[in-house]
Amino acid sequence: MTENRIIFLIDFDVTISRKDSTDTLLETHNPEYKKIIREQYRNGDITMREFVIFGLESLNITRQEYIETLDKNVTIDESFKDFVESGAEFKIVSAGTRLNIQGSLLKYNINLTDDDIISNDISFDGNKIKITNPFLDKEMYYGVDKKEAVENYQKKGYKVIFVGDGPSDYRAMETADFVFVRKGTRAVKFCMEEKIDFLEFDNFDEILEWGNR
């Protein structure tokens, strides 16, 4: 029985990580193109999904180089390791890719399987990259349907706590049973305006304390 069990669905970029992993890859390997597609995204000419696909598929690097870039340049809120080791039930939900998450967490000895992560898939043919969207949202805008992820666990009887920071999280935040928002991020204003029950957090130890009340 899962009745009354709690599961945390946690965004990765800027929620667990200190900076966006896709942006980091683009800044490192194709900064000029990043400026172009970032402007297109801001203007509404391309979707978030297209930003990720166009950006990552433009990179002329191998899988090993991809992982090394993440390992070298992406840091996380290290209290997330405490959260993982606490035994709390969680999944990461991200509009990036599974490898972005796995590669970024390697140096922290946090080893997550594909089943631990609801995100886009990435494959390599030498230095050619291909992105696919196994959890595609119906609007095909974000690339990953975080709201559906919340609903799927609610249907299984879970109380779903969503943890996030920005626009790709908003629909999930509206649907979750409770929300934690990374302090100082755009989602704070969104949750206040939409009257969503939430708490701001600085680190994952605060979330653990809340869960152990």
Side-chain angles (χ1 to χ4, degrees):
M1 284 289 291
T2 56
E3 195 68 36
N4 297 322
R5 279 173 63 182
I6 290 176
I7 189 167
F8 294 86
L9 298 187
I10 309 172
D11 171 60
F12 182 72
D13 290 300
V14 192
T15 298
I16 295 171
S17 70
R18 295 296 188 186
K19 57 183 179 179
D20 188 279
S21 55
T22 296
D23 281 351
T24 299
L25 286 154
L26 289 168
E27 286 163 8
T28 305
H29 297 287
N30 202 352
E32 289 306 313
Y33 186 58
K34 183 208 166 195
K35 291 177 186 174
I36 293 168
I37 60 172
R38 176 61 69 185
E39 187 65 22
Q40 290 174 336
Y41 173 64
R42 286 199 183 110
N43 292 339
D45 298 326
I46 63 173
T47 64
M48 182 180 291
R49 171 176 169 261
E50 288 170 328
F51 176 84
V52 171
I53 292 174
F54 296 164
L56 295 182
E57 290 188 354
S58 79
L59 303 180
N60 189 33
I61 57 175
T62 64
R63 188 177 193 276
Q64 187 58 37
E65 290 169 328
Y66 193 100
I67 292 171
E68 286 173 355
T69 301
L70 294 166
D71 185 61
K72 180 180 179 182
N73 297 293
V74 178
T75 59
I76 69 165
D77 175 347
E78 293 195 34
S79 66
F80 179 65
K81 189 167 184 177
D82 298 332
F83 184 88
V84 173
E85 292 172 351
S86 75
E89 194 167 359
F90 75 94
K91 299 282 185 184
I92 294 180
V93 288
S94 171
T97 80
R98 285 186 169 114
L99 189 60
N100 285 41
I101 296 157
Q102 291 162 329
S104 299
L105 295 177
L106 278 176
K107 62 176 166 283
Y108 301 96
N109 295 313
I110 300 173
N111 298 301
L112 301 183
T113 68
D114 284 355
D115 287 342
D116 296 322
I117 304 167
I118 299 168
S119 188
N120 301 304
D121 285 332
I122 184 169
S123 59
F124 292 79
D125 181 5
N127 58 358
K128 301 298 181 187
I129 293 172
K130 181 70 176 175
I131 306 296
T132 52
N133 308 116
F135 303 100
L136 183 60
D137 54 310
K138 296 173 185 65
E139 297 82 7
M140 297 190 292
Y141 184 86
Y142 294 108
V144 171
D145 197 329
K146 298 184 182 184
K147 177 183 178 182
E148 184 176 71
V150 171
E151 291 173 337
N152 286 343
Y153 280 100
Q154 288 173 331
K155 288 172 185 173
K156 294 175 183 177
Y158 282 93
K159 180 178 181 180
V160 179
I161 313 301
F162 193 89
V163 186
D165 75 287
S168 72
D169 303 322
Y170 291 171
R171 291 170 69 230
M173 289 174 168
E174 290 174 325
T175 310
D177 296 289
F178 191 70
V179 173
F180 279 95
V181 179
R182 172 65 72 180
K183 190 172 183 179
T185 60
R186 286 177 287 177
V188 173
K189 181 180 178 184
F190 172 80
C191 288
M192 291 176 68
E193 289 176 347
E194 299 301 318
K195 297 180 172 54
I196 293 169
D197 195 14
F198 79 103
L199 286 174
E200 290 185 71
F201 76 101
D202 263 328
N203 60 67
F204 282 86
D205 292 334
E206 295 171 7
I207 297 176
L208 281 177
E209 288 172 13
W210 176 89
N212 292 330
R213 290 182 309 175

